[in-house]
Amino acid sequence: ALIVVCHGGVISSLVRTATNHARPRLGERIPNGSTHYFSYLQGSLRLEEFNGQPIKRSAHEATPEELGLISPS
């Protein structure tokens, strides 16, 4: 199945749901028509790619580095 959402506010809501509010960060704006990839498996919405950056695991399991929340040391 394919879902296309164009409004940045709706995309933000999907990203928040899929990442347990890890993304978007405070003050981070998601533009209308931006590209993000999600999967829906076994009843769970997962963020696979955020703004062109792949997420190796679901955001629920990803490290802060994978989500871009902190820089790797």
Side-chain angles (χ1 to χ4, degrees), residues 4 7-9 15 18 20-21 25 27-31 41-44 46 49-50 55 57 62-63 67 71 73:
V4 177
H7 190 278
V15 169
N20 197 27
H21 296 268
R25 289 177 253 162
E28 184 173 33
R29 183 178 170 273
I30 295 183
L41 301 169
Q42 300 175 352
S44 179
R46 295 172 182 248
E49 187 174 295
F50 180 82
I55 306 282
R57 295 177 283 161
T63 66
L67 290 172
S71 299
S73 17

Side-chain angles (χ1 to χ4, degrees), residues 36-53:
H36 310 276
Y37 292 95
F38 300 87
S39 64
Y40 186 76
L41 301 169
Q42 300 175 352
S44 179
L45 181 66
R46 295 172 182 248
L47 179 64
E48 302 294 340
E49 187 174 295
F50 180 82
N51 206 20
Q53 298 298 315

